Amino acid sequence: MGYSSNMKAKKHLGQHFLTSQKALFDMVTAGNIHKEDLVLEIGPGKGVLTEKLLELAGKVIAIEKDTDLIPLLKEKFAKEIESGKLEILQRDILLFDPTILKEYKKPYKLIANIPYYITGAIIEQFLSTSYQPERMVLLIQKEVAERIIARDQKTGNLGGKQSVLSIAVSAYGTPKIIAKVPAGAFFPPPKVDSAIISIENISLDFFKDVDEKLFFEILKHCFNQKRKQLLGSLKDFLGERTKAQQVLQQADIPETARPETLSKEDWKILTQSISVSN
């Protein structure tokens, strides 16, 4: 196709077109795609990943925001669209309701090279929905991938500082870094390296015995004041120091602890203690 080299990436959409065959192979391998699978792709761009997904999956739904790319994708994949193997939707992914996918009457996998600037929003959108994907494979900024699995960025070891993102992802599923992807694997190259991350075992089971909304309210409040010790943050959240001391004692968490040192289980116990105290 002659258009592939002429289409310029749009900065405001965070476009970086993937050119590495190895990265494409690693993504589809991590997706463990079978011929009956339904795959959702975000931002197909010029269709290099779409092409690989179509070789393996039963059906691909590709969501593209850039109106200039739609006709090019429709030309490139005319046969697959005609056969019903590929659907291309011109949408803003952040306004997309994942529950719409229920109409396909089968589980779905989310596999995509997503814009850096909406990584957190997309992860939250698809993990917190009532209709979650069974697996996610995302190509994202390397630093964000390391933050998600709480890997120390200096040593590379697990056990780094926790964040809202790392706790949220681990509460919904099992994250794993599949491979590092250098900046040169894209055109135009971004300023930083990327990584392929998979999230498996996705479910809402963690929230069966704790209020999901309250869990994240407490989590985000405390991380917004992460320089404070937990006693100070919870005093602000609950409105009184004595109550904050009481719930920390019930949860067996030191008053001097800081948010980045707590595990998802600690936050769960803390949320349960606050629920009971209210």
Side-chain angles (χ1 to χ4, degrees):
M1 285 288 172
Y3 60 74
S4 60
S5 57
N6 299 327
M7 178 62 69
K8 287 185 179 178
K10 295 178 180 175
K11 263 190 183 177
H12 72 282
L13 293 178
Q15 289 177 341
H16 295 281
F17 300 123
L18 183 62
T19 57
S20 163
Q21 289 299 315
K22 181 186 182 305
L24 290 168
F25 175 80
D26 288 343
M27 287 185 78
V28 296
T29 303
N32 191 27
I33 306 165
H34 302 287
K35 60 182 179 182
E36 67 278 2
D37 281 351
L38 172 66
V39 175
L40 179 69
E41 183 188 9
I42 298 167
K46 296 174 183 177
V48 291
L49 177 58
T50 317
E51 195 168 4
K52 301 292 182 192
L53 295 173
L54 286 165
E55 287 172 10
L56 299 167
K59 186 176 180 72
V60 177
I61 299 166
I63 298 182
E64 178 56 63
K65 185 177 181 180
D66 188 350
T67 50
D68 290 338
L69 286 169
I70 300 291
L72 307 179
L73 289 165
K74 285 184 174 176
E75 180 190 338
K76 182 173 184 177
F77 298 111
K79 285 181 183 174
E80 290 83 355
I81 292 168
E82 189 180 349
S83 70
K85 192 167 185 179
L86 172 66
E87 279 184 44
I88 299 171
L89 305 177
Q90 199 273 306
R91 305 266 176 90
D92 179 339
I93 190 60
L94 297 182
L95 302 177
F96 180 77
D97 180 2
T99 60
I100 290 167
L101 298 170
K102 282 183 181 178
E103 68 183 62
Y104 295 94
K105 294 182 169 49
K106 59 164 66 180
Y108 70 102
K109 294 175 178 178
L110 172 55
I111 303 176
N113 165 26
I114 57 177
Y116 288 161
Y117 75 101
I118 53 172
T119 297
I122 286 174
I123 289 173
E124 182 178 350
Q125 178 182 5
F126 283 90
L127 288 182
S128 64
T129 179
S130 61
Y131 197 61
Q132 300 167 306
E134 59 178 346
R135 181 185 296 232
M136 293 168 68
V137 179
L138 302 174
L139 182 48
I140 62 176
Q141 191 173 334
K142 181 169 80 76
E143 186 182 319
V144 176
E146 288 172 342
R147 203 184 312 144
I148 284 171
I149 63 164
R151 175 169 282 176
D152 187 294
Q153 287 168 29
K154 287 182 181 175
T155 65
N157 297 326
L158 291 174
K161 290 179 179 178
Q162 294 284 351
S163 63
V164 172
L165 192 56
S166 68
I167 291 161
V169 172
S170 67
Y172 289 112
T174 309
K176 179 184 177 185
I177 291 178
I178 301 298
K180 308 279 177 65
V181 181
F186 299 86
F187 184 82
K191 293 177 181 176
V192 294
D193 289 337
S194 299
I196 298 164
I197 189 167
S198 74
I199 307 171
E200 298 177 27
N201 308 315
I202 298 171
S203 78
L204 293 166
D205 290 351
F206 182 80
F207 297 102
K208 277 181 178 175
D209 54 354
V210 68
D211 185 320
E212 184 180 358
K213 187 168 178 261
L214 181 61
F215 178 90
F216 284 109
E217 278 177 11
I218 297 165
L219 188 68
K220 288 174 181 177
H221 173 85
C222 292
F223 269 95
N224 282 340
Q225 304 183 339
K226 66 179 180 179
R227 290 183 185 276
K228 280 189 177 183
Q229 294 177 344
L230 270 181
L231 178 60
S233 299
L234 288 176
K235 184 193 79 168
D236 294 344
F237 186 81
L238 296 168
E240 54 178 285
R241 183 183 176 87
T242 310
K243 203 171 185 180
Q245 287 175 315
Q246 187 184 2
V247 297
L248 283 168
Q249 191 176 8
Q250 285 171 348
D252 197 23
I253 295 169
E255 294 179 4
T256 54
R258 297 190 189 274
E260 63 265 27
T261 63
L262 269 61
S263 68
K264 65 180 179 184
E265 286 78 14
D266 291 329
W267 289 106
K268 185 178 198 175
I269 294 165
L270 189 58
T271 305
Q272 288 168 333
S273 297
I274 289 172
S275 292
V276 172
S277 71
N278 287 339

